[in-house]
DNA sequence: GCTATCACG
DNA sequence: GACGTACGTGATAGCC
């Protein structure tokens, strides 16, 4: 056949490869390669399609020429016309990303032409080839269901929806668009396309567009004679939006005149090479397809080893021993040529584990020192970028070490892959590395994070730091950092570590990260936590990174004045305390205070703790305060001491000199329940309960012309409990907006609501909280300062009135005992390791098991809201700053306050939908002010 | 590095 | 019958 020229009697099949991958991915269950968990579902679907194509080669309607066309990653020429083109496309799912390069490999293995062109979309190549084939008098079948391609139908060109096995000719196009193929672009230009973000004309859909085009004949005619349109609104739109409509037409119009470096003749059908193809299918471990293909090619089917037995849950045993850790194999990348080799390998692989080395831990401040990369277990490199020369040399102290490529050059070379949507970047705590790289102009995406995977898999079992994970799941002890940096006063920063010492340490981190990813990836699916990881963990990373970068403005003068005032008051109290004690001692030392109170002064109630010291906690001092003046003074002194040292003094040190703001760091895996933790500084425990403490919030302020906005969920945990336990009385009370604590009191004590006293309500409130925490008579008694048997009586009465709550508690504990974990409504698992323990530990584990689904579900809800928030407020000048478990804090110009409240409340109140339908509605309260005290 | 204390939801 | 208890966090100071 070879050598024939494309022309009459020839039949060209054009396969829209990129579109097919997405359809295969979404249509098929997630499938992974058994030996290593590589996601492979879309590749399998793709190969089955190619197999059918090869089968067709012998059929009655056999193609003479065939090609699979792919989108080239990155931007197309349409983005230069309109920067929003396809801008609202979500990034490809992370388990699809590594499959892109594999589908190209598959195409080549089937010996089918595989084409893509930088700067163009697959549709344009298809259009160009179809036009060429039509001009030459041949037939064309476009295998795709993309409606954008329908403009090409006619004159021997048809489309075939491979999944539905449906052919579309000119009549089919008329059915879909109401116009013939030659007017499809006109209709699309008017109707727009939300998927590709083509604007079109607002308020006009396909139906109306077809009507107008059929009436006027063409888009140009329509726009010129728009005055003649009868409907006033439609007329106005077409006149006002003319530019946008014309731009839309350019966006949807396919380019039929691309210059290609190949011709139709290069696409001639070829038989697959048996060796190449069988090797590929065997590598992918496709058993059925290998067998069918072997039959078809008349060769022996290769043996593919059976899958190993289901992996044990404690995975230490299944650690991939195959590739031992070998720190001598790690490469030090010192120039552009060496780095280019790695960039090429990364592109070929479709994924890379990345780790950055820096001069410290505060991402807002520290500098990049080097980057390590790993594409395959055992094969990693370190790129030193800012290591300083040894300090011995009088002049070399501040100079850079030899043999490092310029930082800007390395970052520029890596930027493309790090931002490429077709290359997955894998990290351990990626938020840190992404924030560092962001400061060097790189927006890392898409990402996977082994720390978050471990959190989704193992919350409650152990921590999620790399060292612990490596020990546990790879059976490998990482090189410790301590010997490199030293400790205490002589500690150095990473840029002072000699490069030869840095290479094995840094490269190993990337190696470990990649291996952890390979171990965890298939586990997510097996443990049924893929949805948790994909919807509650992975998408939160960029949201938290942005909040942390935003920071919140803190007024140093206000804090400083408060510190001085506290210091004065403390000095006064300290003098009084020493006088009352008749000696001077360190008021801040519980040990010394205990001896004064109980030994010297002989007060009653001294209880010694484990280490023989008297206990002097607030509750004990509170009791003693009725006997003597000293304990009250100590309580006051302690409150001031706390406020001064932890807040008014320490917060000043956290004000970033560049931004004038305080940037906390959120630990996404901090709490086992799904809650976040805030550190450096902790902005989730800024005082609010006491009057003096609350004033510290006056130092958290909005920028000039802005206000702080606080939106918090009202009673979210009780609402979730009412839903989970199915307590209709409570659900109804929430639906009617009643005072839930008063209602509880009324139900329990039989007091009518109108006769409710604050004291009775307070007791009911304590019980409601107690229920959430896994109530005990002892705990409630201590909290309410009532006799234990009275507290037990309250609890008994509560359960009598709300038997569903007890049932919920019992069944939750039962579930935990059987499975070793409990779950939130959104599927998050919290492991309850010690639930079957004996002794006092059992009580702890039981209460934690009862609390975790409630606290965790509330945490999931606000996470969902936070993930949706950037999209919901993108059109507003508002910034999300802080999260405090059930509260979100925003900063917004005064003019946009109402709109922001409406948008944010909408997101928060509906955050559970559509994954979970709650039987109680969620209610969000909003406050605003120049500072956090006013807003809250 | 551990313990006690106390700030928050 | 004793155990020894509210759930989840982080920062600071004292003390070894």
């Amino acid at each position: 056949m070879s050598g024939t020229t494309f022309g009459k009697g020839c039949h060209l099949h054009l396969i829209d490869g990129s579109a097919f991958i997405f359809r295969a991915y979404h249509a098929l269950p997630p499938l992974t390669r058994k030996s290593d968990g590589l996601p492979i579902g879309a590749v399998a679907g793709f190969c089955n399609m190619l197999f059918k194509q090869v089968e067709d080669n012998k059929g009655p309607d056999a193609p003479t020429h065939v090609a699979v066309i792919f989108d080239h990653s990155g931007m197309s020429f349409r983005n230069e016309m309109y920067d929003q083109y396809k801008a609202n496309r979500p990034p490809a799912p992370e388990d699809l990303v590594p499959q892109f390069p594999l589908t190209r490999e598959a195409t080549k293995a089937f010996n089918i032409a595989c084409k893509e062109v930088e700067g163009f979309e697959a549709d344009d190549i298809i259009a160009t080839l179809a036009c060429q084939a039509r001009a030459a008098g041949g037939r064309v079948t476009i295998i795709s269901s993309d409606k954008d391609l329908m403009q090409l139908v006619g004159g021997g060109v048809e489309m075939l929806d491979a999944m539905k096995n449906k052919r579309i000719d000119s009549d089919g196009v008329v059915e879909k668009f109401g116009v013939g193929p030659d007017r499809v672009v006109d209709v699309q230009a008017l109707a727009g396309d939300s998927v590709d973000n083509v604007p079109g004309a607002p308020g006009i859909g396909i139906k109306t567009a077809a009507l107008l085009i059929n009436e006027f004949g063409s888009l140009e005619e329509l726009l010129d004679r728009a005055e003649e349109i009868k409907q006033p609104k439609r007329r106005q739109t077409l006149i006002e939006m003319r530019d946008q409509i014309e731009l839309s037409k350019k966006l949807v119009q396919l380019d039929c005149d691309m210059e290609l470096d190949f011709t139709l003749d290069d696409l001639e059908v070829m038989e697959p090479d048996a060796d190449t193809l069988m090797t590929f299918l065997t590598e992918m471990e496709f058993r059925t397809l290998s067998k069918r293909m072997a039959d078809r090619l008349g060769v022996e089917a290769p043996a593919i080893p059976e899958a190993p037995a289901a992996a044990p849950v404690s995975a230490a045993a299944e650690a991939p021993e195959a590739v031992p850790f070998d720190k001598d194999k790690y490469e030090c990348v010192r120039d552009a040529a060496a780095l280019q080799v790695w960039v090429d390998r990364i592109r070929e692989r479709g994924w890379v584990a990345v780790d950055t080395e820096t001069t410290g831990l505060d991402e807002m401040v520290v500098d990049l020192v080097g980057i390590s990369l790993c594409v395959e277990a055992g094969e990693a490199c370190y790129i030193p970028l800012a290591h300083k020369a040894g300090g011995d040399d009088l002049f070399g102290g501040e100079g850079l070490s030899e043999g490092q490529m310029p930082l800007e050059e390395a970052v520029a070379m890596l930027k493309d892959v790090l931002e490429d949507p077709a290359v997955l970047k894998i990290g351990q705590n990626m938020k840190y590395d992404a924030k560092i790289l962001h400061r060097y102009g790189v927006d890392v995406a898409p990402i996977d994070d082994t720390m978050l995977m471990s959190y989704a898999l193992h919350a409650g079992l152990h921590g999620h730091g790399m060292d612990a994970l490596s020990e546990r799941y790879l059976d490998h002890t990482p090189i410790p950092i301590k010997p490199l940096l030293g400790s205490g006063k002589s500690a150095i920063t990473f840029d002072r570590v000699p490069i030869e010492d840095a290479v094995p340490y840094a490269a190993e981190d990337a190696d470990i990260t990649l291996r952890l990813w390979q171990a965890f990836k298939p586990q997510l699916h097996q443990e049924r936590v893929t949805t948790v990881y994909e919807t509650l963990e992975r998408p939160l990373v960029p949201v938290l990174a942005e909040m942390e970068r935003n920071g919140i403005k803190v007024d140093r003068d206000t804090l400083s004045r408060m510190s001085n005032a506290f210091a004065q008051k403390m000095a006064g109290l300290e003098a009084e305390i020493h006088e009352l004690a008749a000696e001077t001692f360190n008021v801040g030392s519980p040990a010394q205070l205990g001896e004064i109170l109980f030994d010297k002064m002989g007060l009653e109630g001294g209880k010694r703790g484990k280490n023989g010291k008297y206990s002097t906690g607030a509750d004990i001092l509170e009791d003693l305060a009725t006997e003597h003046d000293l304990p009250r003074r100590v309580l006051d002194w302690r409150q001031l001491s706390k406020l001064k040292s932890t807040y008014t003094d320490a917060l000043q040190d956290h004000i970033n000199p560049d931004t004038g703001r305080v940037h906390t760091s959120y630990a996404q895996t901090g709490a086992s329940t799904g809650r976040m933790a805030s550190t450096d500084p902790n902005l989730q425990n800024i005082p609010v309960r006491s009057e003096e403490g609350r004033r510290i919030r006056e130092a958290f302020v909005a920028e000039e012309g802005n206000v702080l906005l606080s939106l918090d969920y009202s009673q979210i945990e009780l609402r979730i409990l009412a839903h989970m336990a199915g307590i209709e009385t409570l659900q109804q009370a929430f639906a009617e907006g009643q005072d839930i604590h008063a209602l509880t009191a009324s139900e329990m004590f039989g007091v009518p609501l109108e006769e409710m006293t604050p004291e009775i309500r307070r007791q009911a409130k304590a019980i409601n909280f107690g229920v959430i925490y896994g109530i005990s008579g002892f705990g409630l008694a201590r909290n309410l300062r009532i006799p234990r048997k009275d507290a037990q009586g309250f609890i008994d009465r509560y359960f009598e009135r709300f038997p569903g709550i007890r049932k919920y508690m019992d069944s939750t504990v039962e579930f935990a005992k059987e499975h070793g974990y409990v779950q939130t409504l959104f599927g998050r698992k919290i492991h309850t390791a010690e639930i079957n323990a004996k002794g006092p530990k059992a009580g702890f584990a039981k209460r934690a098991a009862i609390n975790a689904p409630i606290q965790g579900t509330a945490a999931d809800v606000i996470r969902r809201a936070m993930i949706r928030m950037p999209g919901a407020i993108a059109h507003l000048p508002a910034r999300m700053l802080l999260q405090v478990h059930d509260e979100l804090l925003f900063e917004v110009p005064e003019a946009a306050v109402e709109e922001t409240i409406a948008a944010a409340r909408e997101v928060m109140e509906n955050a559970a939908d559509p994954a979970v339908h709650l039987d109680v509605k969620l209610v969000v309260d909003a406050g605003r002010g120049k500072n956090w005290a006013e807003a809250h």
Side-chain angles (χ1 to χ4, degrees):
Chain A
M1 283 263 295
S2 105
T4 54
T5 305
F6 191 94
K8 204 164 163 47
C10 288
H11 184 187
L12 171 64
H13 272 195
L14 291 171
I15 299 166
D16 184 352
S18 299
F20 198 92
I21 299 168
F22 277 94
R23 289 195 73 185
Y25 175 80
H26 290 295
L28 299 168
L31 191 68
T32 54
R33 183 159 72 186
K34 286 290 185 300
S35 61
D36 64 355
L38 177 72
I40 211 99
V43 181
F46 192 83
C47 287
N48 274 312
M49 185 269 294
L50 293 179
F51 177 74
K52 249 172 84 187
Q53 178 66 35
V54 171
E55 289 278 82
D56 285 351
N57 289 350
K58 295 200 168 153
D61 197 23
T64 57
H65 296 69
V66 60
V68 180
I69 315 295
F70 291 98
D71 285 323
H72 194 274
S73 57
M75 298 289 168
S76 79
F77 69 92
R78 288 186 178 79
N79 291 97
E80 284 167 26
M81 293 198 277
Y82 181 55
D83 61 355
Q84 288 301 299
Y85 182 66
K86 295 199 174 178
N88 56 8
R89 279 271 166 102
E94 99 297 357
D95 54 335
L96 176 56
V97 168
Q99 302 190 62
F100 290 127
L102 291 173
T103 51
R104 284 156 174 84
E105 269 184 55
T107 311
K108 288 170 190 156
F110 275 83
N111 211 8
I112 294 173
C114 170
K115 301 293 180 190
E116 58 192 295
V117 179
E118 189 166 0
F120 289 87
E121 294 180 62
D123 289 0
D124 296 308
I125 307 174
I126 292 173
T128 301
L129 291 170
C131 291
Q132 288 178 6
R134 179 160 48 196
R139 278 185 63 204
V140 180
T141 301
I142 299 169
I143 297 158
S144 173
S145 54
D146 187 344
K147 57 186 177 352
D148 293 345
L149 291 166
M150 291 191 179
Q151 57 185 277
L152 301 170
V153 169
V157 180
E158 289 184 358
M159 285 180 68
L160 173 68
D161 184 333
M163 290 219 163
K164 293 181 189 152
N165 203 20
K166 197 176 127 199
R167 289 195 90 85
I168 296 163
D169 54 13
S170 290
D171 293 343
V173 175
V174 175
E175 203 176 297
K176 170 93 189 164
F177 278 103
V179 295
D182 55 329
R183 293 291 161 220
V184 163
V185 284
D186 292 354
V187 168
Q188 284 184 293
L190 285 171
D193 186 338
S194 59
V195 179
D196 291 348
N197 213 23
V198 172
I204 295 184
I206 288 183
K207 286 266 163 62
T208 313
L211 205 74
L212 288 166
I213 295 298
N214 283 326
E215 189 183 336
F216 288 84
S218 74
L219 182 65
E220 290 67 29
E221 190 74 22
L222 168 69
L223 292 175
D224 286 343
R225 293 165 46 201
E227 299 286 353
E228 299 169 25
I229 297 167
K230 293 178 194 75
Q231 297 85 342
K233 190 113 191 252
R234 207 175 279 175
R235 182 171 61 232
Q236 192 189 355
T237 304
L238 285 175
I239 292 167
E240 282 178 7
M241 294 293 180
R242 181 165 188 151
D243 287 353
Q244 184 174 308
I245 294 165
E246 286 174 337
L247 171 68
S248 297
K249 177 158 178 173
K250 282 189 198 153
L251 290 173
V252 297
Q253 178 79 56
L254 296 180
D255 186 349
C256 279
D257 295 311
M258 278 179 64
E259 289 210 17
L260 300 173
D261 59 0
F262 58 92
T263 68
L264 290 172
D265 298 332
D266 296 329
L267 308 181
E268 212 169 309
V269 167
M270 291 179 288
E271 268 294 285
D273 174 69
D275 261 8
T276 314
L277 182 51
M278 293 319 296
T279 305
F280 176 79
L281 294 176
T282 309
E283 248 178 47
M284 292 292 110
E285 298 170 18
F286 295 148
R287 280 184 191 72
T288 316
L289 192 57
S290 298
K291 206 161 160 298
R292 286 167 66 191
M293 203 65 225
D295 287 349
R296 162 73 174 66
L297 294 168
V299 297
E300 189 136 328
I304 297 171
E306 272 304 313
V313 177
S314 69
E318 54 138 6
E321 285 294 332
V323 184
F325 279 92
D326 181 358
K327 59 179 188 293
D328 297 330
K329 274 190 69 185
Y330 298 139
E331 180 187 339
C332 182
V333 171
R334 292 182 180 275
D335 55 46
L339 182 53
Q340 189 59 48
V341 173
W342 280 90
V343 170
D344 293 343
R345 290 187 71 189
I346 291 166
R347 286 213 175 280
E348 193 184 320
R349 251 284 173 244
W351 66 63
V352 59
V354 185
D355 187 36
T356 55
E357 302 300 337
T358 59
T359 52
L361 291 173
D362 181 352
E363 321 89 303
M364 292 291 297
V365 173
V366 299
D367 294 317
L368 186 59
V369 175
I371 300 173
S372 32
L373 306 169
C374 176
V375 289
E376 203 163 322
E379 294 177 29
C381 72
Y382 178 62
I383 314 157
L385 298 170
H387 284 261
K388 299 258 174 62
D392 294 314
D393 182 344
L394 186 62
F395 301 106
E398 287 307 305
L400 291 178
S401 296
E402 299 268 303
Q404 300 183 83
M405 57 186 299
L407 188 143
E408 295 76 23
E409 187 188 1
V411 169
M413 284 182 72
L414 285 168
K415 181 177 162 78
D416 265 8
V417 271
L418 293 178
E419 295 186 346
D420 189 337
V423 176
L424 180 68
K425 273 67 67 175
I426 303 152
Q428 163 76 12
N429 190 15
M430 243 330 195
K431 174 159 64 72
Y432 180 85
D433 305 276
K435 279 181 77 180
I436 296 286
L437 288 165
H438 180 88
R439 286 187 28 227
Y440 292 84
V442 179
D443 282 311
V444 182
I447 60 132
D448 246 344
D449 192 322
T450 47
M451 184 177 79
L452 302 184
M453 288 180 168
S454 176
Y455 187 54
L457 287 166
H458 314 126
L461 288 179
H462 53 71
H464 313 285
M466 189 169 71
D467 290 2
L469 296 179
S470 179
E471 295 272 6
R472 193 179 280 262
Y473 297 100
L474 304 178
D475 198 21
H476 172 74
T477 309
I479 302 167
I481 186 75
K482 260 274 183 60
L484 297 185
L485 300 183
S487 63
K489 253 191 142 177
S490 59
I492 56 170
T493 46
F494 202 82
D495 53 332
R496 299 278 174 190
V497 173
I499 293 177
E500 61 268 28
D501 295 340
V503 171
Y505 168 81
E508 189 194 67
D509 277 2
D511 190 7
I512 291 169
T513 303
L514 188 88
R515 293 179 199 234
L516 287 173
W517 179 71
Q518 289 172 334
F520 291 162
K521 191 84 221 180
Q523 289 281 318
L524 289 176
H525 185 235
Q526 284 169 29
E527 294 293 319
R528 302 293 183 264
V529 290
T530 304
T531 305
V532 169
Y533 175 71
E534 287 295 335
T535 64
L536 299 172
E537 304 299 342
R538 203 165 73 103
L540 192 58
V541 174
V543 179
L544 291 179
E546 194 188 334
M547 291 169 72
E548 294 174 17
R549 271 200 300 273
N550 285 341
I552 183 166
K553 188 175 180 184
V554 172
D555 186 66
R556 186 187 298 276
D557 287 349
T558 305
L559 291 178
S560 178
R561 276 199 298 274
M562 287 180 181
S563 279
N564 290 337
F566 291 150
Q568 281 203 350
K569 277 196 186 173
M570 281 169 71
L573 282 167
E574 199 170 330
E576 287 181 39
I577 290 165
H578 289 161
E579 197 172 327
L580 285 166
E583 68 174 285
T584 60
F585 67 101
N586 186 347
V587 183
S589 165
Q592 293 180 32
L593 175 66
E595 286 185 23
I596 299 275
L597 286 171
F598 301 114
D599 288 344
K600 182 172 178 191
M601 296 168 57
L603 292 173
E604 299 290 312
K607 267 181 265 173
R608 291 182 190 269
K610 284 186 199 134
N611 49 14
K613 301 266 167 56
Y614 289 111
S615 178
T616 66
D619 48 350
I620 290 180
L621 295 188
E622 202 67 52
D623 289 342
L624 296 177
T626 54
E627 314 266 320
H628 200 279
D629 286 341
L630 192 145
R632 170 63 56 201
R633 301 278 195 285
V634 173
L635 283 169
D636 291 345
W637 183 91
R638 276 191 183 165
Q639 187 193 13
L640 297 174
S641 164
K642 182 78 176 179
L643 295 177
K644 182 171 186 293
S645 67
T646 308
Y647 300 104
T648 56
D649 285 352
L651 270 174
Q652 296 187 54
D653 301 334
H654 282 284
I655 297 174
N656 183 301
D658 293 334
T659 64
R661 299 167 76 94
V662 171
H663 306 264
T664 185
S665 180
Y666 288 100
Q668 207 178 324
T669 62
S672 62
T673 53
R675 271 197 184 176
M676 246 100 64
S678 158
T679 59
D680 308 300
N682 182 355
L683 295 186
Q684 289 181 322
N685 71 346
I686 302 302
V688 69
R689 291 174 188 169
S690 79
E691 184 56 41
E692 291 100 322
R694 187 156 55 236
R695 296 208 52 193
I696 289 171
R697 294 188 174 220
E698 292 172 11
F700 291 76
V701 295
E703 293 284 354
E704 195 58 40
N706 285 248
V707 290
L708 292 180
L709 220 56
S710 162
L711 283 89
D712 69 298
Y713 285 107
S714 163
Q715 308 282 8
I716 186 168
E717 291 190 351
L718 273 178
R719 285 173 199 264
I720 285 166
L721 176 65
H723 168 89
M724 291 178 94
I727 313 298
E728 282 179 21
T729 318
L730 295 180
Q731 290 173 7
Q732 199 185 334
F734 279 125
E736 292 167 4
Q738 289 187 42
D739 177 338
I740 202 70
H741 300 311
L743 178 114
T744 306
S746 168
E747 290 280 342
M748 277 183 59
F749 304 115
V751 181
L753 281 174
E754 49 276 11
E755 291 170 30
M756 189 56 55
T757 68
E759 179 54 23
I760 298 176
R761 183 181 179 279
R762 189 182 70 86
Q763 296 196 333
K765 185 175 173 180
I767 295 167
N768 276 332
F769 276 107
V771 165
I772 291 168
Y773 298 148
I775 200 158
S776 77
F778 182 91
L780 184 65
R782 199 173 62 169
N783 189 285
L784 285 176
R785 298 175 164 276
I786 58 175
R788 188 174 159 175
K789 66 177 192 325
D790 292 3
Q792 192 55 54
F794 285 178
I795 294 169
D796 292 343
R797 207 166 341 168
Y798 182 89
F799 282 141
E800 219 170 276
R801 185 59 201 84
F802 300 109
I805 303 263
R806 164 162 274 168
K807 227 178 119 200
Y808 162 79
M809 294 174 128
D810 291 347
S811 62
T812 302
V813 171
E814 214 38 57
F815 185 96
K817 282 183 173 165
E818 191 184 333
H819 297 95
Y821 64 85
V822 291
Q823 273 183 300
T824 67
L825 287 181
F826 298 91
R828 177 187 300 284
K829 287 183 180 177
I830 299 109
H831 294 269
T832 53
E834 307 208 288
I835 193 76
N836 289 316
K838 291 268 175 277
K841 279 182 174 178
F844 274 119
K846 230 168 108 171
R847 291 191 297 272
I850 290 166
N851 173 257
I854 305 167
Q855 189 183 113
T857 298
D860 289 349
V861 166
I862 197 165
R863 275 175 181 238
R864 290 170 62 89
M866 291 169 72
I867 289 163
R868 290 182 191 172
M869 198 59 76
I873 62 173
H875 62 294
L876 297 166
R879 292 190 292 175
M880 182 157 60
L881 308 186
L882 300 178
Q883 188 252 39
V884 192
H885 308 309
D886 63 359
E887 171 188 7
L888 292 175
L889 197 72
F890 299 83
E891 183 173 15
V892 59
E894 277 161 27
V897 164
E898 298 302 334
E899 269 187 287
T900 304
I901 291 178
R905 175 179 273 148
E906 170 79 13
V907 169
M908 289 174 76
E909 291 188 341
N910 298 303
D913 295 316
V916 169
H917 177 75
L918 294 176
D919 294 330
V920 287
K921 64 172 177 179
L922 297 179
V923 170
V924 168
D925 298 325
R928 70 188 77 175
K930 295 302 293 177
N931 61 57
W932 198 1
E934 283 179 28
H936 191 271

